[in-house]
Amino acid sequence: MIWSFDIIVLIFLVIAAVIALSVRDLLASSMVLGIYSFLICILWAEMGAVDVAFTEAAVGAGVSTVIMIATVFQTTRKSKD
Amino acid sequence: MDVFLDFLIAKFNYWIYVILMMIGLFAMIAKNNLIKKLVGMCIFQTAIILFYVSIGVKEDARIPILTGHEVPHGGHYHTEDHERPYIDAKTVTNPIPHVLMLTAIVVGVSTLGMALAIAQKVHLHYDSLEEDEILAKLQLGNND
Amino acid sequence: MKPMKLAALLTVIVTGGLLLFATSDLPDWGDPLSPANASDLSTYYIQDSRDVTEVPNLVTAVLADYRGYDTMFETVVIFVAGLGILSILGQGKCEEPLAQPVASEQNRERDMITIITCRLVVPIIQIFALYVIAHGHYSPGGGFQGGVMLGSSFILIALTSGLPDALKRMSQERAIFLAGLGVLIYAGTGLVCMALGRNFLDYEILHKLMGGTGVKARYDSMLIVEIGVAFTVMAIMFIIYAVLSSKGRMRGGL
Amino acid sequence: MSLMINIVSGALILVGLTFFLAAAVGIVRFPDFYTRMHAAGKGDTLSTILILLGVALYTVGDFSIETLLVAIKIMAIAVFIMVTSPTSTHALMQAGYDDGIKPFEKEKEDKKDSEDQPEV
């Protein structure tokens, strides 16, 4: 564990979460959620949870983002809030 | 200053987890769009998983994969004969939260897929993902 | 909608304030002597589990052996989620027109460069996924990660050369069969243990079938169990993508 | 010998980071989608390969079979990135072109306003 690195990544995490929820384009929202997942993956690797980080890298950046984008593509891209 | 820094390092993680959790909760309650609600659900879920994993962190500890282990050849597994070094539990990260949360992530993505499927079904019926529009159409259907 | 947002904000602030107040009672971050870290159970796992199972990766040992029952039902949850998605959106009977013009189904020219690169990359991904599954005893990895990677290699095929092309390699029936097979491998291992007179998922007795000692039986049956998990996860990940990207029609797609 | 290797690998990582910075500046400063992707694709690939090369060289510093194996794995990652990163950039560009994004043209911008720097 490296506490300074940890604090920086955590602040980025909050920024990414707020952007993912405040942006009006749902496609952009899904992409930012992918970035959020990757930041969390970095955080877990730093905390020593390598297995969890590996899973999150495969799931969050791979499958989760893709199925989210597939849904946005099949339904609608616009959001009112 | 040092006291404050120690306090910050000790508690800063938990504060951020609470903030992330509350961001997710707020999105789940107040956002109008169904996909946005699901994004909030994802953030809430990861905040809880982060909390669990950070419980197992130990200062200056290694990852929970033991080294210094030679693979026995030819199926000779004499565990009594091997000289195992004593492992100090303080030097290895606690593996239990990792195990619990590893499955939670994969189950999380399948539940997210389920929720997205329901959202697609809702869009198929009401041609909208906005909560208020769906409610208005439901009201219209009831008045008939 | 305004009062709703205000109420939500109030709820969030109150709950968050209470939780922030409660963090003062939590142990410090990274404290090796916190109750969770100094418990007998975690100390036992760290000190003794390698002698009992021969697996240096403690997470794999705890996941597939000590907590095997838990992992089995997590696998079942994933399987059920896949079936649920199929039953919510599946059927392929929906008649409303595609969101994108039908041209995307056959006529749209797929990009040559991406297709060729994916042909190059997909086998490497699959081999690496198999390595991750098989090498989970010694490095980070295991059934869940390898399964997700195998599934995403099929998703990559579907993304570049179209969903029909991917369904030719992994049809819906085959995916469901593989998902069921994975759960069957896992539960079957447990049932064999029961048949030999031990508890469910108590792998030690399997040395009567596989030879070697009880420790080696535990080591080997962990791999078998991980393979079962990987089958289920791979198939369900692909089903989730295939259903969601085509609105359940299983044609067209992104 | 070890010091020499450390210096060379440090220099490689530093050059890679410089290219990374250039790519990031390019993404922010370039006027339209295509030029931005140009900066991202080329800068990212080169800088990642340079950084990985530096890391691999640093790993080989104390030479043994194990460190050599680690270095080979790192170089495998570099080769993988060399194949996939330009392809993903190309796919993004293709998607943008299919979507009908107009490329940036200097003349039109000049007519609008005569500033030296194009609007970002």
Side-chain angles (χ1 to χ4, degrees):
Chain A
M1 53 174 266
I2 312 157
W3 64 268
S4 43
F5 185 74
D6 189 78
I7 284 175
I8 292 169
V9 176
L10 281 170
I11 290 168
F12 272 120
L13 211 57
V14 173
I15 294 171
V18 169
I19 290 176
L21 287 171
S22 59
V23 77
R24 275 166 194 261
D25 187 353
L26 286 178
L27 188 65
S29 181
S30 329
M31 292 311 296
V32 177
L33 198 68
I35 295 170
Y36 175 86
S37 293
F38 210 78
L39 283 172
I40 281 189
C41 163
I42 292 172
L43 202 58
W44 282 331
E46 179 261 334
M47 283 183 186
V50 276
D51 278 86
V52 188
F54 194 179
T55 318
E56 181 68 26
V59 167
V63 178
S64 183
T65 313
V66 169
I67 61 174
M68 209 103 175
I69 288 173
T71 303
V72 170
F73 180 81
Q74 286 295 341
T75 54
T76 173
R77 229 179 114 167
K78 287 185 217 65
S79 155
K80 283 202 291 196
D81 58 359
Chain B
M1 189 62 202
D2 268 359
V3 177
F4 175 71
L5 196 64
D6 283 347
F7 181 67
L8 184 78
I9 294 167
K11 302 291 181 203
F12 187 78
N13 278 61
Y14 299 126
W15 298 340
I16 293 285
Y17 305 155
V18 170
I19 290 169
L20 280 177
M21 203 186 283
M22 288 306 117
I23 288 172
L25 185 63
F26 179 75
M28 280 171 81
I29 299 172
K31 286 286 173 184
N32 204 18
N33 191 294
L34 293 182
I35 304 281
K36 281 287 177 66
K37 278 178 191 283
L38 291 180
V39 171
M41 192 186 81
C42 270
I43 291 169
F44 194 106
Q45 185 187 10
T46 39
I48 290 170
I49 298 177
L50 266 171
F51 174 66
Y52 260 84
V53 171
S54 75
I55 282 177
V57 176
K58 292 176 188 169
E59 224 166 327
D60 302 325
R62 291 184 284 125
I63 57 174
I65 297 174
L66 306 177
T67 50
H69 168 67
E70 66 284 0
V71 185
H73 290 290
H76 295 296
Y77 283 80
H78 303 295
T79 44
E80 311 85 41
D81 298 352
H82 279 225
E83 275 298 320
R84 299 284 187 204
Y86 173 74
I87 302 162
D88 188 8
K90 274 181 204 162
T91 60
V92 179
T93 312
N94 190 356
I96 301 176
H98 302 181
V99 176
L100 298 177
M101 290 304 114
L102 198 147
T103 47
I105 292 172
V106 184
V107 170
V109 76
S110 45
T111 47
L112 175 70
M114 190 103 176
L116 288 172
I118 294 172
Q120 284 199 9
K121 199 75 179 175
V122 167
H123 186 264
L124 212 64
H125 274 263
Y126 298 102
D127 200 31
S128 166
L129 281 176
E130 305 290 331
E131 205 180 41
D132 50 351
E133 289 175 16
I134 294 167
L135 282 175
K137 280 183 185 169
L138 274 170
Q139 293 278 321
L140 215 67
N142 284 344
N143 288 342
D144 285 346
Chain C
M1 279 296 114
K2 208 66 180 165
M4 183 69 189
K5 250 179 190 170
L6 208 68
L9 199 65
L10 206 68
T11 317
V12 161
I13 288 173
V14 170
T15 320
L18 285 174
L19 285 174
L20 280 176
F21 177 65
T23 53
S24 59
D25 286 341
L26 287 170
D28 291 355
W29 184 66
D31 183 10
L33 294 175
S34 68
N37 286 340
S39 69
D40 290 345
L41 188 64
S42 96
T43 314
Y44 170 79
Y45 285 151
I46 291 168
Q47 286 179 347
D48 295 338
S49 75
R50 193 179 63 180
D51 295 339
V52 183
T53 61
E54 288 284 345
V55 177
N57 187 351
L58 302 176
V59 175
T60 304
V62 179
L63 181 86
D65 193 315
Y66 292 98
R67 297 188 62 87
Y69 203 64
D70 180 28
T71 310
M72 190 188 114
F73 280 101
E74 302 273 14
T75 316
V76 174
V77 166
I78 294 165
F79 179 62
V80 172
L83 292 189
I85 289 166
L86 269 176
S87 54
I88 288 170
L89 267 183
Q91 309 298 328
K93 279 179 189 163
C94 125
E95 295 299 330
E96 57 99 46
L98 290 163
Q100 291 291 307
V102 192
S104 73
E105 220 164 293
Q106 297 293 332
N107 305 334
R108 200 179 101 196
E109 205 166 309
R110 295 276 172 186
D111 192 10
M112 206 61 190
I113 295 175
T114 44
I115 289 178
I116 296 289
T117 310
C118 284
R119 291 232 173 105
L120 212 67
V121 160
V122 162
I124 301 173
I125 293 177
Q126 288 180 342
I127 287 174
F128 183 65
L130 292 177
Y131 165 81
V132 165
I133 295 169
H135 210 257
H137 289 23
Y138 294 98
S139 58
F144 284 104
Q145 292 93 331
V148 170
M149 285 171 74
L150 275 176
S152 51
S153 74
F154 285 105
I155 292 176
L156 193 60
I157 295 173
L159 275 175
T160 51
S161 22
L163 192 59
D165 217 32
L167 282 171
K168 241 183 271 166
R169 291 165 170 82
M170 170 81 87
S171 66
Q172 187 181 330
E173 290 78 23
R174 191 177 294 169
I176 294 172
F177 171 74
L178 284 177
L181 184 72
V183 176
L184 187 71
I185 290 174
Y186 206 137
T189 315
L191 285 177
V192 170
C193 296
M194 273 178 95
L196 289 171
R198 287 287 190 91
N199 289 326
F200 191 64
L201 289 173
D202 189 354
Y203 307 134
E204 206 163 353
I205 195 68
L206 288 176
H207 74 266
K208 284 185 180 170
L209 294 180
M210 300 196 286
T213 60
V215 174
K216 188 171 187 314
R218 288 178 88 158
Y219 180 92
D220 287 343
S221 43
M222 259 185 245
L223 181 62
I224 296 170
V225 160
E226 298 264 26
I227 289 169
V229 172
F231 270 128
T232 304
V233 173
M234 168 188 75
I236 296 302
M237 287 302 146
F238 180 65
I239 284 180
I240 289 176
Y241 171 77
V243 171
L244 285 182
S245 71
S246 64
K247 254 186 179 176
R249 282 182 213 86
M250 291 299 194
R251 63 200 174 83
L254 291 187
Chain D
M1 185 61 194
S2 172
L3 183 72
M4 195 67 203
I5 283 177
N6 280 5
I7 289 170
V8 172
S9 65
L12 276 173
I13 292 173
L14 218 61
V15 173
L17 286 176
T18 317
F19 275 109
F20 239 131
L21 187 69
V25 170
I27 288 172
V28 177
R29 292 291 302 160
F30 274 138
D32 76 330
F33 174 74
Y34 297 103
T35 44
R36 280 179 196 175
M37 287 317 296
H38 175 80
K42 288 198 165 58
D44 261 12
T45 316
L46 179 61
S47 54
T48 314
I49 288 170
L50 281 173
I51 289 171
L52 286 175
L53 205 67
V55 171
L57 204 63
Y58 180 78
T59 318
V60 185
D62 48 343
F63 188 82
S64 72
I65 296 294
E66 285 159 22
T67 56
L68 189 68
L69 215 59
V70 171
I72 288 171
K73 280 176 192 167
I74 292 171
M75 289 326 289
I77 296 172
V79 170
F80 197 76
I81 283 174
M82 208 159 75
V83 175
T84 52
S85 175
T87 312
S88 64
T89 314
H90 166 81
L92 260 175
M93 294 265 227
Q94 187 76 46
Y97 185 75
D98 287 346
D99 212 32
I101 295 175
K102 292 260 185 319
F104 169 74
E105 282 173 44
K106 185 76 179 165
E107 292 79 35
K108 282 180 189 169
E109 286 291 316
D110 279 344
K111 275 174 199 167
K112 275 181 196 164
D113 51 7
S114 55
E115 284 180 23
D116 286 317
Q117 289 178 343
E119 282 182 31
V120 176

